[in-house]
Amino acid sequence: MATNIGMMDGAYFVGRSEILAWINTTLHLNLSKVEEACSGAVHCQLMDSVHPGMVPMHKVNFDAKSEYEMIQNYKVLQDVFNKLKITKHIEVSKLVKGRPLDNLEFMQWMKRYCDSVNGGGLHSYNPVERREASKGGKEASKKSAPQPSSTKGSTAAPRPTSSHARRNSNDVPSSVNPSNQPAKAPSKPSTSVAAYDEQITELKLSVDSLEKERDFYFAKLRDIEILCQTPEIEDSPIVAAIKRILYATDGDASVVTEAQAMLSLDPKEAEALSPIAEASEEKSGSETQKRKNILNTDVDAAGIITLSPRQRLTDASDVHCSGSPLMTY
């Protein structure tokens, strides 16, 4: 019995049309989109179809519109999962928003589970009768059976056409063609709109899939960056090479070559190439120069203090004789 299946399982490659056909056939519904089952009521009845009597259908609300009402249905579904010891996690916050990809993935898992229970057999299950016990179940059953209304429309349609034919019995047959054209014209826009809706749904699914893939790989790169910032390994050559690739601003292939060259260098040379090492060397050099200047100043001051008065006078006379501007009056 399948409870937790991997993302690469064949269940997640089942098409949307096949999922819809399976739902409508199993529960006698007429859904046109998978996200129409986002309220959770359909999921509850699917579990009831493979485990008769396990789901309290009187607590299921097929007329749920708000997120609060939908969450109540998912609570019923979660209780059923707990009773059956199913460890599948239900992402309620995503499902209630009606996103096509999230609802399709969960419905694919539902089909995989239902097929694994006794081969998907329903055991003479009556979905319409079971649905009537839930709130809004009768309305859902009426919406799923539009055949009587279509037959009435077909029987009522010939009456105005027959009366129209009586009035225009003496008209030329060419006048009949314009009356037939408006009846056929609406069928073309309806098919084009349905095709556009299908394309929009497919684009939404692809966008959602690309967003998930982007977030997945970005999280991986962020984890690598955090690992490279660990103090114990931050100054190693291999981390410097990895950072060179991570922080490259262009798609030049030479970046990989440069990173490999950094690995082939000695650790001392690699540190010399590292911006952090250069900054530390400049800082240490400046500090060394400051120390030398301070030391020379101290030595000169000490030398002046230790000079005798005669030596000081001799130095002053030498400066005066040399024409220094410091000794002019």
Side-chain angles (χ1 to χ4, degrees):
M1 185 180 299
T3 56
N4 284 328
I5 57 178
M7 290 300 296
M8 298 305 295
D9 190 90
Y12 292 106
F13 294 93
V14 179
R16 181 170 53 89
S17 58
E18 185 177 349
I19 293 292
L20 286 173
W22 169 68
I23 296 172
N24 294 331
T25 304
T26 304
L27 303 182
H28 295 177
L29 292 174
N30 191 23
L31 301 181
S32 59
K33 298 179 181 179
V34 178
E35 54 268 27
E36 291 180 7
C38 64
S39 65
V42 174
H43 303 88
C44 291
Q45 190 169 12
L46 287 173
M47 292 299 295
D48 184 68
S49 65
V50 294
H51 298 286
M54 182 63 69
V55 181
M57 292 300 295
H58 64 280
K59 295 183 179 180
V60 180
N61 185 3
F62 275 87
D63 196 28
K65 302 297 182 183
S66 63
E67 289 190 4
Y68 172 77
E69 294 174 334
M70 296 179 184
I71 291 173
Q72 297 301 318
N73 288 335
Y74 283 107
K75 286 183 178 179
V76 175
L77 183 63
Q78 186 64 62
D79 292 339
V80 175
F81 279 14
N82 294 336
K83 292 178 182 179
L84 297 172
K85 297 181 179 180
I86 299 174
T87 59
K88 172 66 176 176
H89 175 65
I90 305 175
E91 296 182 350
V92 180
S93 59
K94 293 182 179 180
L95 294 174
V96 296
K97 292 179 181 179
R99 298 179 62 179
L101 182 61
D102 295 323
N103 282 271
L104 177 61
E105 288 181 356
F106 189 70
M107 194 60 74
Q108 287 170 338
W109 179 91
M110 288 290 299
K111 185 178 187 305
R112 177 72 172 83
Y113 176 80
C114 293
D115 291 342
S116 65
V117 179
N118 296 327
L122 299 182
H123 305 288
S124 65
Y125 180 75
N126 191 343
V128 178
E129 182 180 353
R130 288 288 295 167
R131 193 160 51 241
E132 290 179 355
S134 60
K135 182 179 179 181
K138 294 181 179 180
E139 289 76 6
S141 300
K142 291 179 182 179
K143 292 179 181 179
S144 63
Q147 295 178 355
S149 60
S150 62
T151 54
K152 290 180 181 178
S154 62
T155 54
R159 293 180 181 177
T161 55
S162 61
S163 61
H164 186 272
R166 290 172 186 172
R167 294 175 201 160
N168 300 329
S169 58
N170 297 327
D171 292 344
V172 183
S174 60
S175 63
V176 181
N177 294 332
S179 62
N180 292 336
Q181 289 178 356
K184 296 180 181 179
S187 61
K188 295 182 179 178
S190 62
T191 55
S192 62
V193 170
Y196 284 133
D197 289 340
E198 186 175 358
Q199 291 180 2
I200 291 171
T201 304
E202 294 294 337
L203 290 175
K204 287 182 179 179
L205 291 174
S206 62
V207 168
D208 291 341
S209 178
L210 291 174
E211 287 180 353
K212 283 190 174 183
E213 187 175 1
R214 178 202 62 189
D215 296 341
F216 174 78
Y217 286 112
F218 178 79
K220 292 293 182 184
L221 292 175
R222 179 57 182 157
D223 293 339
I224 294 173
E225 184 182 24
I226 293 173
L227 181 63
C228 291
Q229 294 174 355
T230 306
E232 291 79 2
I233 63 172
E234 187 176 6
D235 297 331
S236 63
I238 187 170
V239 172
I242 293 173
K243 287 182 178 179
R244 179 71 182 90
I245 296 174
L246 282 178
Y247 299 146
T249 57
D250 54 2
D252 191 4
S254 62
V255 175
V256 179
T257 306
E258 293 176 5
Q260 292 175 349
M262 294 174 67
L263 292 177
S264 62
L265 295 174
D266 294 335
K268 294 182 179 180
E269 296 179 357
E271 291 178 0
L273 292 176
S274 176
I276 299 175
E278 292 177 0
S280 62
E281 288 180 0
E282 292 177 358
K283 184 176 180 182
S284 61
S286 61
E287 291 179 355
T288 304
Q289 186 64 31
K290 288 180 181 179
R291 290 172 186 169
K292 289 181 180 180
N293 294 336
I294 294 171
L295 183 60
N296 293 334
T297 304
D298 294 340
V299 171
D300 293 340
I304 293 172
I305 293 171
T306 56
L307 289 175
S308 63
R310 183 176 295 177
Q311 290 173 337
R312 294 177 187 173
L313 182 59
T314 303
D315 294 338
S317 62
D318 293 339
V319 172
H320 178 68
C321 294
S322 64
S324 175
L326 295 176
M327 297 302 293
T328 57
Y329 295 99

